[in-house]
Amino acid sequence: MMLRASLILLGAMALAASPAAAQDRKVNVTPYLGVDQTVLVPLKGGGDVLTYTNITAGVTAELRTRRVEAVADVQYNHSFGWGREATDQDIISGIVSGQYAVTRGLSLNAGGLATRVRTDGLSGAATLNDSLTSQVYAAYVGPSYATSFGDLDVTASYRLGYARVDEDVDADFPGAPNAGSFADSVSHSLAGSVGVAPGVWLPLGIVVSAGYDREDASQLDQRFEDGWGRVDATVPVSPTVAVAGGVGYERIKISQRSPLLDGNGLPVVRNGRYVTDDSSPRALIYDFDDIIWDVGVLWRPNRRTSLEARVGERYGGMSYTGSFVWQGRNQSFALVVFDGIDSFGRIITSNVAAVSGSSLNVVRNPFTGDFTGCAFSQTGGGQCFNDALSGITAANFRYRGVAAQYAAQRGPWGLGVGLGYSQRKFVTPSGETILVRGSKDENWYGTASLSYVIDSRSSLDSAIYANYFDASGGRLDVLNLGAFTSYNRLINRNLQASASLGLDSAKADELDAVINAMGQVGLRYSF
């Protein structure tokens, strides 16, 4: 199966959820306005005490009808800084995901993401009001179709994706790359399959599938193309276990144009990105053309639990993939092992497309309004974005790793945990000065949120996070640790008061650690 890690991880969780949930009509739209006072106190690493007044406008929504299922948590925040060192900032963050059932078997899917990332060299670290940041946007739209014609099961899907990073890195920090940063890209993903279940025509099930992926990135007019086709067979060996295997053919090509050179023969860099020489010929920097195969085992003891593990050959070497999904009554767990050729643009749009279901818990940093990297759902369909947002580059890479997510709601308690590790091995042209061909980045991340409803008017929300980004190409290795907790109290039906405390630490290579304490009091009015 040619599925990205995020789609396997949380798309499968959404499929495992109870189908009856989609039949319950629910419309809940809550716009709100807020104001808070935030103080940031440096405990280590120097700097001044900074104070901000934040004005917030946002909306949370959950819509579930016979045809529509959608969820949204979107917020705009403007920070007014007090003093010369505290600069004003605009912050847009949130997630939107929706599905519209056009007719039986045909659905239109769409979603979007807005968030911020650090651009001061501390890649993967949490954004703070005094840090240099960039806005990141990603969105997708496309239909999906699944039906049966007699004994034949037919599926088809198309996804149009767009990803953008508004600003570029601060070129003054130690180890800063001077070019090659991601700007924006447009991607297309088309796939289809025709199959028959085991025992219908033969003792084994047969599926024939094919797909085509393309991404056009603005940096050096880079183009990625991946076309594949394969045949898979499934042989049941017991009521809950089956052996699976497949063979096919795949062709991947990555090409780009040359950078414009100045009078000294050096690449021209503008806003931290190479300027493209539009007259230069397109150069092929990666060309994979070979037979692909894999074998594995499938285990589904009940409708709430499934396991798939495969080993095979792809990209000229061995490849290992797998997933485990469990859906409880008010909790869910998923684990995925992934392997592919990917890019920031394709990963982030796939992550957005993996968000589905209802009752998403978007865990936000109360001091900045940014979400902390994960959106949890005990009914399946949550997603962690930590890994995609670490070490953003314009290069393509071999992307391997493991990710896990758990979410639960029990009485007054709510819990969400996301953990993962990934390795990016870069595909770059010879002579690339920023990311040497074959160099590797590694990223470890973890996020956990805990909520508790004290009574009908009071609640607590807490979160901890950790991220370690091990960079290549002379960039900084960064360890980020942090935690925060908030107490919320309803004053009346619409007005809520809150108080928050937090701590954030960032350590980069040989640089001194930067540790900040944060405090906040605020009011929010919901309409």
Side-chain angles (χ1 to χ4, degrees), residues 430-446:
S430 300
E432 170 67 71
T433 58
I434 306 305
L435 297 168
V436 177
R437 188 179 186 90
S439 61
K440 295 181 292 186
D441 286 353
E442 294 181 291
N443 193 64
W444 291 260
Y445 69 88

Side-chain angles (χ1 to χ4, degrees), residues 34-329:
V35 59
D36 62 71
Q37 193 69 21
T38 299
V39 60
L40 187 151
V41 180
L43 302 180
K44 186 177 181 181
D48 300 325
V49 175
L50 304 178
T51 304
Y52 296 87
T53 298
N54 300 318
I55 304 297
T56 301
V59 61
T60 61
E62 184 178 352
L63 177 62
R64 191 166 62 240
T65 67
R66 185 174 64 87
R67 287 185 174 270
V68 179
E69 184 171 310
V71 64
D73 187 328
V74 181
Q75 179 177 288
Y76 166 77
N77 178 294
H78 183 81
S79 291
F80 296 92
W82 292 31
R84 290 182 299 176
E85 298 300 321
T87 58
D88 291 1
Q89 297 187 47
D90 291 293
I91 304 162
I92 302 173
S93 66
I95 300 173
V96 177
S97 177
Q99 181 183 77
Y100 175 71
V102 180
T103 186
R104 183 176 179 84
L106 177 62
S107 298
L108 180 63
N109 312 292
L113 164 79
T115 188
R116 294 192 304 168
V117 294
R118 296 279 285 257
T119 55
D120 55 0
L122 301 183
S123 182
T127 55
L128 300 176
N129 278 336
D130 68 333
S131 59
L132 293 168
T133 60
S134 290
Q135 277 286 158
V136 175
Y137 303 98
Y140 83 98
V141 63
S144 61
Y145 181 69
T147 191
S148 296
F149 295 98
D151 295 331
L152 292 177
D153 298 320
V154 177
T155 68
S157 65
Y158 168 73
R159 185 174 73 234
L160 171 66
Y162 178 74
R164 178 181 180 85
V165 178
D166 264 357
E167 303 296 335
D168 204 76
V169 299
D170 171 22
D172 295 328
F173 72 80
N178 59 7
S181 297
F182 184 89
D184 65 351
S185 74
V186 176
S187 59
H188 308 267
S189 182
L190 178 66
S193 69
V194 177
V196 61
V200 177
W201 295 349
L202 297 170
L204 69 161
I206 299 291
V207 177
V208 179
S209 56
Y212 175 75
D213 294 275
R214 172 166 170 163
E215 181 184 29
D216 292 279
S218 59
Q219 174 77 175
L220 296 181
D221 194 16
Q222 188 177 93
R223 180 180 299 164
F224 168 90
E225 292 182 282
D226 179 8
W228 56 271
R230 60 182 289 152
V231 178
D232 285 89
T234 304
V235 181
V237 296
S238 79
T240 60
V241 178
V243 175
V247 63
Y249 170 82
E250 184 173 23
R251 175 71 183 271
I252 300 176
K253 295 193 295 183
I254 304 174
S255 61
Q256 66 182 40
R257 301 190 189 278
S258 301
L260 186 68
L261 303 181
D262 62 17
N264 297 319
L266 299 175
V268 177
V269 176
R270 186 176 300 152
N271 297 325
R273 300 180 176 105
Y274 288 123
V275 176
T276 306
D277 182 356
D278 294 326
S279 64
S280 64
R282 181 170 295 279
L284 193 63
I285 63 174
Y286 182 83
D287 190 2
F288 171 81
D289 178 12
D290 206 351
I291 300 296
I292 57 175
W293 64 267
D294 58 56
V295 295
V297 61
L298 309 176
W299 178 57
R300 192 174 181 88
N302 52 61
R303 67 184 183 87
R304 295 180 177 273
T305 307
S306 65
L307 169 70
E308 179 175 0
R310 294 192 179 226
V311 58
E313 188 170 3
R314 196 177 175 194
Y315 315 122
M318 296 303 294
S319 177
Y320 306 90
T321 60
S323 65
F324 174 77
V325 176
W326 174 74
Q327 177 66 57
R329 183 178 298 275

